[in-house]
Amino acid sequence: TEHEERRMRASMAAQVTNYQCPSCTGPLHFVGASGKLECDYCGSTYDVAEIEAFYAEKEEKAAAAQQSAEEKTAAERQAAEEGGWEMPDLSADWGAEGDGMKAYSCPSCGAELICDASTAATFCPYCGNPTVVPGQFAGTLKPDFVIPFKLSREDAIRELKKHYRGKVFLPKSFSKENHLQEIQGVYVPFWLFSGEAEGNAHYECTRSHKRTEGEYEVIKTEHFDVYRAGTMPFEKVPVDASTKMPDDHMDSIEPYNYDDLKPFSTAYLPGFLADKFDVSADKSRERADVRCLGSLKKALQGTVTGYATCFPRGEHADIQRGKVHYALLPVWLLNTKWQGKDFLFAMNGQTGKLVGDLPVDKGRFWGMFAAIAVPLSVLSSVIVLLMR
């Protein structure tokens, strides 16, 4: 047991991060009495050799993921330019700023993270994987803009506690203070699309009048063909450029205030991680088109007023594509697992808007149900006996 403990400590010292539970991502600690690693959250236990083999496999996957990502970079830029957008002059030359930067790869989900040399990457903010393997800081394109974090870790933890409040069936491990401290500030990559939408629309509208003629109530309905046409410029429409981040999460924590948009500088990175984009501008343009065209159609229909009903009968719109910018926007992330499922919480690091789903502890649910149902059953039996 003593030999295993020494070997375990030596192995942990060589790792980038401390070991965490493969089941729930809680921290593992070595217990000398049992000679095993035990989880603080779910109570799982593991042999030393089992955990070492588990993380060795993940490190191999990390190396393969990094190589694959580097091969995609050139192809993504070419595809984006062929899509008609005016791409930014992205450069992998960070100058003197790049000397103090580090890169990490997650072997579990493939995330590629960058940070300054003083920031410790303890786990992946997207999937909760505790092993984040150091990689070469090369081929990482420098962003055009950044919105700095305005809200602190303490602000994020406070909002999460509010989100948990009153959730009686929430697993206890979720609300533990040490678990909340795992929240990580991440600069998420976004493409910002600018251009102009032009279109026209045809609506069938009605207006009704009611009058009384003798004993009858007469309703007269007038039908109108209404046409609208117009253009709408759009400036820096955001589309997240990370496959690890669910699009609905990113849409839900918008909008960002672009008054705080700054030219990118590594001075904003200390204490935070920054994700490298893995979705090209060309692959993101469809989402940008949908959002822009949807805004134009909504604006056109918004000018049709004074009618009882309004039904679209025909719409046509085109996008005049303009400039694309690459930006990093601030998000506080907490990823955790419960009974084999991932739960991701995201909070806008500028405005505090938060989104995230919560699990239900079925054991607590049925325990409370039984605590209520049994007394009610006894009470109903007593009432029946009294009525006889």
Side-chain angles (χ1 to χ4, degrees):
T1 301
E2 184 179 353
H3 172 71
E4 288 184 345
E5 184 174 0
R6 286 200 305 269
R7 183 163 63 90
M8 187 65 202
R9 288 175 178 171
S11 176
M12 291 178 68
Q15 294 290 339
V16 177
T17 63
N18 292 331
Y19 288 118
Q20 292 183 344
C21 177
S23 299
C24 72
T25 73
L28 294 175
H29 61 275
F30 184 80
V31 179
S34 64
K36 293 180 179 291
L37 290 163
E38 297 185 1
C39 176
D40 293 335
Y41 289 157
C42 66
S44 299
T45 61
Y46 303 92
D47 293 327
V48 171
E50 181 182 3
I51 290 298
E52 287 180 337
F54 177 78
Y55 282 107
E57 180 182 354
K58 286 185 174 292
E59 289 178 9
E60 291 178 3
K61 291 181 180 178
Q66 181 179 347
Q67 181 179 355
S68 175
E70 290 176 355
E71 292 172 353
K72 287 172 57 180
T73 301
E76 287 177 343
R77 179 175 178 84
Q78 180 180 354
E81 291 175 343
E82 291 174 353
W85 291 99
E86 182 185 351
M87 291 296 295
D89 297 325
L90 298 177
S91 172
D93 182 11
W94 291 57
E97 288 184 303
D99 295 339
M101 303 296 292
K102 296 189 297 184
Y104 292 98
S105 296
C106 174
S108 181
C109 71
E112 293 187 79
L113 306 165
I114 60 173
C115 59
D116 76 307
S118 65
T119 300
T122 57
F123 58 89
C124 176
Y126 290 106
C127 69
N129 177 49
T131 301
V132 185
V133 183
Q136 294 294 325
F137 182 69
T140 302
L141 301 181
K142 186 176 181 180
D144 298 312
F145 298 107
V146 61
I147 292 181
F149 274 86
K150 183 170 285 187
L151 301 178
S152 67
R153 176 185 297 272
E154 289 70 26
D155 295 325
I157 292 175
R158 182 169 57 252
E159 291 302 316
L160 269 174
K161 287 181 177 179
K162 289 181 182 179
H163 192 60
Y164 290 167
R165 194 172 298 158
K167 310 296 193 301
V168 295
F169 301 122
L170 184 71
K172 289 183 179 180
S173 61
F174 267 65
S175 55
K176 285 184 178 180
E177 184 64 29
N178 60 342
H179 175 67
L180 292 174
Q181 293 293 337
E182 293 178 1
I183 192 167
Q184 177 69 60
V186 180
Y187 282 107
V188 176
F190 278 79
W191 296 111
L192 306 181
F193 294 86
S194 298
E196 185 176 80
E198 179 180 4
N200 56 74
H202 168 212
Y203 308 96
E204 181 180 307
C205 304
T206 65
R207 186 185 295 139
S208 298
H209 305 278
K210 185 186 299 184
R211 70 178 186 271
T212 302
E213 294 182 358
E215 298 180 356
Y216 299 97
E217 185 177 76
V218 178
I219 299 176
K220 179 182 178 182
T221 301
E222 299 175 291
H223 294 262
F224 302 87
D225 282 325
V226 180
Y227 296 88
R228 292 289 187 270
T231 61
M232 173 182 286
F234 53 92
E235 184 74 16
K236 296 184 177 66
V237 174
V239 176
D240 67 280
S242 173
T243 57
K244 282 79 66 181
M245 177 58 69
D247 293 338
D248 56 348
H249 279 55
M250 290 295 90
D251 293 344
S252 297
I253 64 173
E254 288 183 23
Y256 285 90
N257 182 0
Y258 285 164
D259 290 343
D260 294 333
L261 198 67
K262 310 289 185 185
F264 179 79
S265 169
T266 56
Y268 298 111
L269 291 186
F272 303 101
L273 300 177
D275 189 10
K276 178 183 176 182
F277 75 86
D278 61 357
V279 181
S280 68
D282 183 61
K283 293 180 180 178
S284 301
R285 68 175 183 173
E286 183 176 348
R287 286 191 63 212
D289 289 352
V290 169
R291 298 185 69 173
C292 296
L293 294 176
S295 296
L296 174 64
K297 292 176 182 178
K298 185 177 180 180
L300 291 176
Q301 188 163 357
T303 66
V304 182
T305 59
Y307 300 98
T309 63
C310 179
F311 301 100
R313 293 307 182 197
E315 295 175 323
H316 176 76
D318 291 308
I319 293 287
Q320 298 296 324
R321 296 186 172 93
K323 186 73 173 178
V324 182
H325 293 286
Y326 177 33
L328 299 180
L329 305 184
V331 181
W332 285 103
L333 295 177
L334 175 63
N335 182 290
T336 191
K337 295 180 184 295
W338 176 254
Q339 296 183 344
K341 295 182 180 180
D342 290 315
F343 294 89
L344 180 67
F345 301 87
M347 190 184 89
N348 188 312
Q350 181 194 42
T351 68
K353 192 174 181 182
L354 182 144
V355 64
D357 299 323
L358 295 174
V360 173
D361 188 334
K362 294 181 180 179
R364 297 182 70 182
F365 172 81
W366 289 113
M368 184 171 291
F369 177 81
I372 297 173
V374 171
L376 287 177
S377 177
V378 172
L379 180 61
S380 63
S381 299
V382 171
I383 293 174
V384 169
L385 289 173
L386 292 175
M387 293 177 64
R388 287 179 177 178

